Amino acid sequence: MHTVVLQSLNDFDEWRGQARELLRAGVAPDEVVWRDPKSEAGLFEQSEPDIAHAGDVRPVGAVPPAFIELAPKVLCHSDPERFGLLYRVLWRLQADRAILEVASDPDVVRLAGMASAVRRESHKMKAFIRFKSIVDDTGLERFAAWFEPDHYVVEMTAPFFERRFTGMIWAIVTPYRSAYWDGQSLAFGEGGTRADVPSDDAVEGDWKTYFASIFNPARLKVAMMKSEMAVKYWRNLPEAELIAPLIRGAKQAEQAMIKRAASQPPSHHLKRVERHIIEQPEPTEIVSLADARAAVQGCQRCPLYEHATQAVFGEGPGDADIMFVGEQPGDQEDLAGKPFIGPAGKVFDAAIEVVGIDRSRVYVTNAVKHFKFEPRGKKRIHQRPDAGEVQACKFWLNLERAFVKPKVIVALGATAAQSLLGKTATISKLRGAPITLEDGIVLFVTNHPSYLLRIPDREMAKLESAKFEADLALVRDYWRGLEN
Ligand code: URA
């Protein structure tokens, strides 16, 4: 029996190095015991220095990209069997490169389930982290948050916070690892405890107790520190003259952003959904709108999930007669997890109120569920989704249509019309009359409310608003006609 003692809980390169050695030596999966730093026996054991080669050194076959994609995520799962399971699959891949395509294979099902659980945990971390502000007597503000993940997701999720809160100094502490961003570089250190992070916004005294203890360089010595620069910054933090002006300028806006981000987490009751190897839910496994709402948080049908905070699913009664479909969530919607709550949402709310449509009776959603944007300084600038992204996301819109069964659908803007009609759409040609879709549902097409916000000329804006309201009045009349 061979024992492999890993130094890291979730380091793919380390596991891969060991697995390759074992493979080369022809060591079968059931001859290996894997231990990580959390395994009790692991504390007292050492890896065997040399693996006795069973006969010839074997060539290691090329591994399918799907395995390379899956394995780092599986390694972040907390199941102690993850290392052995991955090694067994790697071993089997040497004889059959296609096993990952067999969605019913028990090992493949397990791997896919573990990767899904890790991805969901990473989404949860993005949605549930709440930063506390810590201010020292120079006015320097830093932020810290405590999070207890079910899986080892800090390293894979921290870059998201780096992108989102670039201008701040922040720390995220978890029991197994902490992440630290000093405004320049991201570093990881030992885990901590809940007491390392103040329970409320704190002043300098508290900072000394908590923050200093989290980022005591001694605790970071084993960390995977990316640069010398980072160490220098930690040591200098109490003086902080270099960074303070930078931070002060951005302070209020960032604090507001954090509070907004924390205000509306998505549902944490993410229902377990079996996934096939590319980790997408099979349509047959989603049997209700609630299932779809939960499953969309794991969507990777297109790359937009990578930078968005969360998927924003539709909202409204599950049996609404009218479904409004916009383009994609904007900045505020992305943070809050709700559709049409930002500036475009305000225009929309006002217009439907004018014509007498009650928002609480309609279902409001988007053609694309993740926010597409380009970071520009601290701003996230809206980018129009492309045809591929719209097509990929149609899966979710179709589910919403299937469960809500609206009698009337309203496309707000060209992207929604394109998704619903399956071809490019010109609003001016389509507005003003009902269109019957293939399944018999009636579609109305009108402008996107954000179009009204972009019209510089006041007269023109008034005219377009009136046209928008007239379109909505047609919808109202059609709906009333159905009711009578
Ligand atoms: N624009 C949209 O299309 N949808 C939203 O939810 C917000 C802005």
Side-chain angles (χ1 to χ4, degrees):
M1 198 50 103
H2 295 270
T3 302
V4 178
V5 184
L6 296 163
Q7 303 298 309
S8 166
L9 288 163
N10 56 0
D11 184 355
F12 178 57
D13 289 338
E14 187 191 15
W15 174 86
R16 178 165 55 181
Q18 296 285 355
R20 277 174 166 271
E21 273 290 297
L22 292 165
L23 216 50
R24 272 204 207 99
V27 181
D30 56 5
E31 293 167 14
V32 191
V33 175
W34 293 85
R35 303 223 186 272
D36 67 34
K38 285 228 158 159
S39 320
E40 278 178 20
L43 295 173
F44 309 104
E45 277 172 331
Q46 282 189 329
S47 287
E48 317 210 341
D50 282 313
I51 294 165
H53 288 247
D56 295 339
V57 173
R58 298 184 178 191
V60 178
V63 174
F67 184 80
I68 304 289
E69 167 82 19
L70 207 56
K73 287 196 194 102
V74 170
L75 282 175
C76 296
H77 199 280
S78 52
D79 187 335
E81 289 181 16
R82 63 197 179 281
F83 308 110
L85 173 64
L86 280 171
Y87 183 57
R88 186 163 67 237
V89 172
L90 185 64
W91 177 269
R92 293 179 58 202
L93 281 168
Q94 305 300 301
D96 177 3
R97 266 179 65 82
I99 52 169
L100 290 182
E101 286 153 33
V102 183
S104 58
D105 181 286
D107 282 347
V108 174
V109 169
R110 244 179 112 192
L111 282 187
M114 286 163 97
S116 294
V118 164
R119 241 193 14 254
R120 286 198 298 271
E121 194 62 21
S122 174
H123 276 293
K124 250 163 70 181
M125 180 170 166
K126 291 178 192 171
F128 292 139
I129 286 274
R130 276 139 175 82
F131 283 100
K132 302 292 175 191
S133 158
I134 303 159
V135 184
D136 71 15
D137 60 3
T138 69
L140 176 66
E141 186 168 34
R142 289 161 221 159
F143 297 88
W146 167 248
F147 184 66
E148 286 179 78
D150 289 340
H151 302 294
Y152 305 119
V153 295
V154 172
E155 297 88 338
M156 67 183 272
T157 317
F160 166 85
F161 290 95
E162 174 189 340
R163 287 192 299 273
R164 174 60 56 81
F165 301 122
T166 308
M168 308 171 359
I169 295 177
W170 56 253
I172 297 172
V173 184
T174 80
Y176 88 97
R177 171 79 70 226
S178 45
Y180 178 62
W181 171 252
D182 64 359
Q184 303 276 330
S185 49
L186 183 62
F188 298 96
E190 284 175 25
T193 66
R194 187 186 288 279
D196 287 331
V197 176
S199 52
D200 274 311
D201 289 355
V203 289
E204 193 200 4
D206 299 320
W207 172 78
K208 286 212 172 96
T209 320
Y210 298 110
F211 215 85
S213 87
I214 302 166
F215 293 109
N216 166 351
R219 289 182 70 179
L220 286 157
K221 68 181 184 308
V222 289
M224 304 169 274
M225 292 188 324
K226 296 264 167 60
S227 74
E228 287 301 310
M229 184 79 167
V231 186
K232 233 168 63 200
Y233 266 105
W234 289 320
R235 299 230 164 96
N236 289 342
L237 273 177
E239 291 83 38
E241 275 110 16
L242 279 176
I243 340 175
L246 202 123
I247 300 295
R248 265 189 219 113
K251 198 169 71 182
Q252 281 175 353
E254 282 152 2
Q255 221 175 344
M257 183 154 65
I258 291 170
K259 286 196 175 132
R260 265 190 287 136
S263 65
Q264 292 289 348
S267 162
H268 56 284
H269 301 294
L270 291 181
K271 199 175 162 214
R272 188 170 184 281
V273 179
E274 289 291 337
R275 286 154 204 276
H276 61 69
I277 197 63
I278 58 162
E279 300 168 48
Q280 296 308 320
E282 295 280 8
T284 51
E285 292 156 354
I286 296 172
V287 294
S288 68
L289 191 62
D291 285 350
R293 181 183 297 284
V296 75
Q297 294 305 336
C299 181
Q300 295 190 355
R301 286 174 180 269
C302 77
L304 294 186
Y305 76 94
E306 284 170 20
H307 301 294
T309 306
Q310 58 195 306
V312 178
F313 205 60
E315 246 192 16
D319 59 353
D321 283 344
I322 309 183
M323 175 180 282
F324 284 94
V325 183
E327 183 194 72
Q328 61 162 349
D331 184 74
Q332 293 190 29
E333 288 82 7
D334 167 80
L335 293 171
K338 289 167 175 288
F340 280 106
I341 54 150
K346 304 245 169 349
V347 173
F348 171 71
D349 285 349
I352 58 171
E353 196 183 335
V354 167
V355 302
I357 297 176
D358 180 354
R359 176 148 176 179
S360 70
R361 293 191 60 194
V362 302
Y363 189 88
V364 180
T365 190
N366 285 298
V368 171
K369 309 299 188 219
H370 283 113
F371 179 33
K372 180 174 182 180
F373 62 93
E374 188 186 285
R376 215 171 288 159
K378 290 204 185 76
K379 288 217 166 105
R380 302 189 297 167
I381 308 299
H382 163 274
Q383 298 279 295
R384 197 172 180 169
D386 65 30
E389 289 149 356
V390 172
Q391 179 58 30
C393 220
K394 206 167 159 172
F395 172 79
W396 300 108
L397 183 58
N398 282 345
L399 283 174
E400 289 175 297
R401 282 178 64 181
F403 292 126
V404 178
K405 298 192 180 69
K407 299 192 173 104
V408 186
I409 301 182
V410 186
L412 299 168
T415 302
Q418 178 190 341
S419 174
L420 290 156
L421 292 166
K423 56 182 185 197
T424 44
T426 310
I427 305 298
S428 57
K429 287 193 188 144
L430 296 173
R431 74 191 313 178
I435 299 164
T436 306
L437 295 173
E438 271 171 18
D439 56 3
I441 294 178
V442 163
L443 172 73
F444 284 90
V445 174
T446 186
N447 270 322
H448 192 282
S450 67
Y451 166 71
L452 304 177
L453 287 169
R454 291 195 304 268
I455 303 172
D457 181 80
R458 278 182 69 161
E459 282 311 305
M460 178 80 168
K462 255 179 146 172
L463 195 71
E464 286 298 330
S465 291
K467 279 163 79 177
F468 185 56
E469 286 167 14
D471 285 342
L472 295 174
L474 281 181
V475 175
R476 175 206 57 206
D477 294 343
Y478 184 87
W479 180 38
R480 284 187 183 156
L482 291 175
E483 281 188 324
N484 296 327

